[in-house]
Amino acid sequence: MARKILLVDDEAGFTQLLKMNLEKSGDFEVTIENDSTRAVSTARSFLPDIVLLDVVMPGMDGGDVQAQFQSSPELRNVPVIMLTALVDSAELSDGAVAQSGSSIVLPKPVDLDLLLRVIDEATAVI
Amino acid sequence: MEPLTLVESVLDNLPVAVFAKDANDDFRFVLWNKKQEEITTVKASRALGRDDYALFSEESADYFRSVDKAVLKAGRLLKVPEEIIEGKNGQDIHLRTVKIPVIEEETGRRLVVGISEDITEQVRSRAQLESLNKNLVDANKELQETQLQLIQAEKLESIGRLAAGVAHEVKNPLALLLLGVDYLSNGIDPDDPNVDTILAQMRSAVDRADRIVRGLVDFSSQRSLSREPVQLYTVIDEVLLLVKHELTRSNTSVEVSIPRDLPHVFLDLSKFEQVVINLVINAVHAMSESERPCLEIRARSESLRDVVKNQGARRYEVFRSGDHVVILELVDNGCGIDNNDATRLFDPFFTTKATGVGTGLGLSVARKIVQLHGGELHVGDREDAKGAIAKLILPTKVDTGKVGLSSKTAK
């Protein structure tokens, strides 16, 4: 059965190409949400196996989205991979990423092979 | 009282030197008044009956003689605006002299009559004034240089603060490019409908990264002031690109309403971007506690009315009624301006921000830059709601007279 991935990122071009790559590389069903304020409602209806979440977004940042996932019973256990183009290590350790409690953070530009491995590991645990 | 005595008396009390030489008798002096004695330090008793060669250096005498001959030849008054003779203790004495050819009625003698005014003090004052003026010009030039250096220093600081955000904005298109490369590197299927989309996305990512990097390079370059006619919205577009990361991170929504058909304003793009970036970052900081941070950037053109010069508030101080201007306003819904801070906003090094967040040079430099553009910058609380408003009034014509620097200087 295809694993379901939710991409939450305000960069429409990025999500479009990542979706194409993921769908070409494995048996994935990918849904895109470019508006972070709708991430939780989209996730509730899509029920993803894993979420790839951007950090710096207008509306709600990745940390806020992650916190909403945590407080939602049906999403609490969905693994989240944070993708970030942040370059400042202090921002990574002090900012939304650290607050989110997400254990998996991958830098942008994304190494696709690494991302696929991380998705495999994270979804295998479930 | 004899007429002659009267004439002599008048001559000796004149504040100017008067002398006469007899052209028919080798230009020997026949008249030498008291002031002439005073200026030359030669007594009349010694001068009368002698010529210039007996009284002055050969070089001076040659000169006097040549002028005397020229006066006779011309047959009319000749003005010598400035001549120098050697006075007491070898000091130069500057004279303004007129020489008149006279033919004495009874004797038919041809005389050269000279009237000299001592202008040594005037010349000295003029030289002092010129020297002071040169010092002033030099100091002003130095001040302008220092101002430009200060502006550049503040700009470098802004670049430092923007760098992480700009890098973030460049990394996004890079991430997209890498995804495109990943997709295409596994072999290109000509029937794959995704390929066209991917190539188009990659091209637009390159354009975007290029625009951001170019924006930053343009912003950081240029030390001297160089203005060109621009549409205000293009400046705001560029600025929003550079501060996009700061706005997104702070969750600030931006509403821009700048008509596309505003009159051109004459701006040094890089320096003016510095002003707007400063004001935007200030607004973002001021809105850090706001529930829904919102920055409104609006502009309009207007013909100024009822401008009163030297008013208490000194509004529009460089403008006159009837001047056509473009007004740019940045309106935030932040904490506003504390009454105690209002008068110190533009003081260098004044800051309400925590150490490391700002040096306190931003607004003072911003106002200086706006003034160099012949405009004005005012910052205050908004009247309709909580928050601050920054108002920039910009001339739509270049008037170098109002500006400290020329409109086009070497790049």
Side-chain angles (χ1 to χ4, degrees):
Chain A
M1 206 172 94
R3 279 168 293 174
K4 294 162 82 173
I5 301 177
L6 174 62
L7 295 183
V8 182
D9 193 318
D10 60 312
E11 294 281 333
F14 175 79
T15 49
Q16 190 183 17
L17 262 65
L18 185 55
K19 175 180 157 85
M20 288 176 184
N21 270 297
L22 289 169
E23 289 178 345
K24 193 181 179 188
S25 310
D27 188 14
F28 296 118
E29 182 189 348
V30 181
T31 286
I32 291 171
E33 182 50 77
N34 293 127
D35 179 354
S36 61
T37 61
R38 293 208 303 256
V40 171
S41 65
T42 304
R44 279 194 183 123
S45 59
F46 179 57
L47 292 175
D49 296 312
I50 190 163
V51 178
L52 305 186
L53 182 60
D54 186 22
V55 176
V56 180
M57 291 180 287
M60 280 171 81
D61 67 24
D64 293 339
V65 174
Q66 168 84 333
Q68 288 202 351
F69 280 14
Q70 291 294 324
S71 59
S72 169
E74 67 268 50
L75 300 173
R76 187 177 296 150
N77 295 319
V78 177
V80 173
I81 298 174
M82 300 286 244
L83 300 177
T84 178
L86 286 177
V87 285
D88 187 342
S89 57
E91 285 192 276
L92 285 176
S93 55
D94 302 340
V97 179
Q99 285 165 19
S100 72
S102 172
S103 55
I104 312 165
V105 179
L106 292 181
K108 283 184 189 173
V110 183
D111 180 325
L112 196 60
D113 289 337
L114 176 64
L115 178 64
L116 290 169
R117 277 208 311 277
V118 171
I119 290 172
D120 280 346
E121 283 169 21
T123 50
V125 174
I126 301 298
Chain B
M1 197 184 286
E2 283 187 61
L4 195 64
T5 313
L6 172 66
V7 171
E8 274 178 354
S9 167
V10 169
L11 281 174
D12 279 346
N13 287 292
L14 280 176
V16 289
V18 181
F19 55 87
K21 304 171 195 178
D22 185 348
N24 296 62
D25 186 15
D26 289 334
F27 293 93
R28 289 176 210 277
F29 285 97
V30 294
L31 178 65
W32 190 273
N33 79 341
K34 277 265 190 293
K35 189 70 184 175
Q36 175 75 348
E37 284 186 337
E38 197 183 299
I39 290 173
T40 59
T41 68
V42 177
K43 288 281 176 200
S45 54
R46 186 168 122 71
L48 293 174
R50 291 193 165 83
D51 68 1
D52 288 306
Y53 289 94
L55 302 173
F56 304 109
S57 70
E58 191 177 344
E59 193 188 349
S60 298
D62 278 344
Y63 164 73
F64 294 141
R65 184 64 54 85
S66 67
V67 177
D68 293 344
K69 285 183 172 170
V71 170
L72 289 174
K73 196 175 172 193
R76 58 182 169 81
L77 175 148
L78 213 70
K79 286 180 185 171
V80 183
E82 191 176 336
E83 57 187 1
I84 301 170
I85 63 165
E86 200 176 294
K88 237 189 301 186
N89 308 324
Q91 280 178 330
D92 281 352
I93 295 176
H94 297 256
L95 301 174
R96 181 187 295 138
T97 301
V98 291
K99 287 190 170 176
I100 311 152
V102 175
I103 296 176
E104 210 172 28
E105 213 172 327
E106 311 94 63
T107 61
R109 281 197 303 181
R110 290 185 308 149
L111 303 172
V112 175
V113 176
I115 303 167
S116 294
E117 186 187 353
D118 184 353
I119 55 165
T120 309
E121 271 311 308
Q122 289 175 35
V123 169
R124 203 168 289 155
S125 307
R126 192 177 62 204
Q128 274 174 358
L129 206 62
E130 276 169 7
S131 157
L132 285 174
N133 191 43
K134 189 181 173 294
N135 290 347
L136 207 61
V137 168
D138 288 350
N140 193 33
K141 206 171 149 198
E142 205 173 306
L143 186 67
Q144 286 178 357
E145 265 301 306
T146 311
Q147 274 170 356
L148 288 174
Q149 282 168 2
L150 183 68
I151 289 170
Q152 185 69 3
E154 202 281 334
K155 181 192 282 181
L156 290 177
E157 198 211 318
S158 308
I159 292 169
R161 260 181 281 149
L162 293 177
V166 169
H168 180 265
E169 290 310 306
V170 175
K171 278 192 148 200
N172 273 321
L174 284 181
L176 197 149
L177 281 173
L178 187 62
L179 286 173
V181 171
D182 281 340
Y183 192 94
L184 300 173
S185 56
N186 294 333
I188 301 171
D189 175 359
D191 299 326
D192 185 348
N194 287 342
V195 172
D196 283 347
T197 310
I198 287 170
L199 289 174
Q201 288 282 6
M202 288 173 82
R203 176 167 292 282
S204 97
V206 170
D207 288 346
R208 194 169 131 204
D210 180 57
R211 218 182 133 210
I212 296 165
V213 171
R214 219 156 7 96
L216 191 67
V217 171
D218 288 348
F219 177 56
S220 43
S221 66
Q222 277 193 16
R223 281 215 39 220
S224 51
L225 192 77
S226 166
R227 285 190 283 171
E228 54 188 302
V230 288
Q231 275 292 341
L232 207 49
Y233 73 86
T234 60
V235 186
I236 301 302
D237 285 353
E238 283 297 315
V239 166
L240 290 179
L241 198 64
L242 290 174
V243 296
K244 179 168 181 269
H245 183 67
E246 274 69 20
L247 293 169
T248 310
R249 275 187 63 193
S250 58
N251 212 7
T252 302
S253 61
V254 181
E255 291 169 16
V256 181
S257 61
I258 300 180
R260 301 254 149 170
D261 56 353
L262 280 180
H264 284 91
V265 276
F266 292 81
L267 302 178
D268 178 313
L269 277 177
S270 136
K271 289 192 179 41
F272 197 75
E273 280 177 11
Q274 188 176 350
V275 173
V276 182
I277 286 173
N278 242 305
L279 297 174
V280 170
I281 298 294
N282 275 351
V284 166
H285 288 159
M287 294 187 291
S288 60
E289 303 291 320
S290 305
E291 201 174 327
R292 287 175 192 278
C294 177
L295 175 65
E296 189 187 350
I297 302 176
R298 62 193 184 207
R300 62 180 188 275
S301 68
E302 108 179 12
S303 178
L304 292 178
R305 284 185 304 173
D306 306 326
V307 178
V308 180
K309 289 216 139 216
N310 299 322
Q311 235 179 352
R314 293 173 69 89
R315 281 167 73 89
Y316 304 133
E317 59 188 306
V318 301
F319 294 108
R320 298 192 189 113
S321 290
D323 279 356
H324 291 284
V325 295
V326 166
I327 294 178
L328 172 68
E329 288 174 327
L330 288 90
V331 188
D332 69 45
N333 61 357
C335 55
I337 295 157
D338 190 291
N339 271 341
N340 296 325
D341 300 337
T343 54
R344 296 193 291 161
L345 282 181
F346 292 102
D347 291 352
F349 304 110
F350 174 74
T351 181
T352 57
K353 296 172 189 171
T355 309
V357 180
T359 55
L361 279 175
L363 271 185
S364 71
V365 166
R367 173 175 265 186
K368 188 71 231 172
I369 294 173
V370 174
Q371 285 170 344
L372 287 174
H373 283 85
E376 292 180 21
L377 168 62
H378 305 281
V379 177
D381 275 327
R382 56 193 281 195
E383 286 168 8
D384 56 334
K386 194 166 179 243
I389 176 166
K391 179 174 185 175
L392 292 103
I393 309 169
L394 301 166
T396 53
K397 278 188 290 192
V398 178
D399 181 354
T400 48
K402 285 177 185 167
V403 185
L405 296 166
S406 63
S407 61
K408 273 277 177 192
T409 46
K411 285 187 182 178

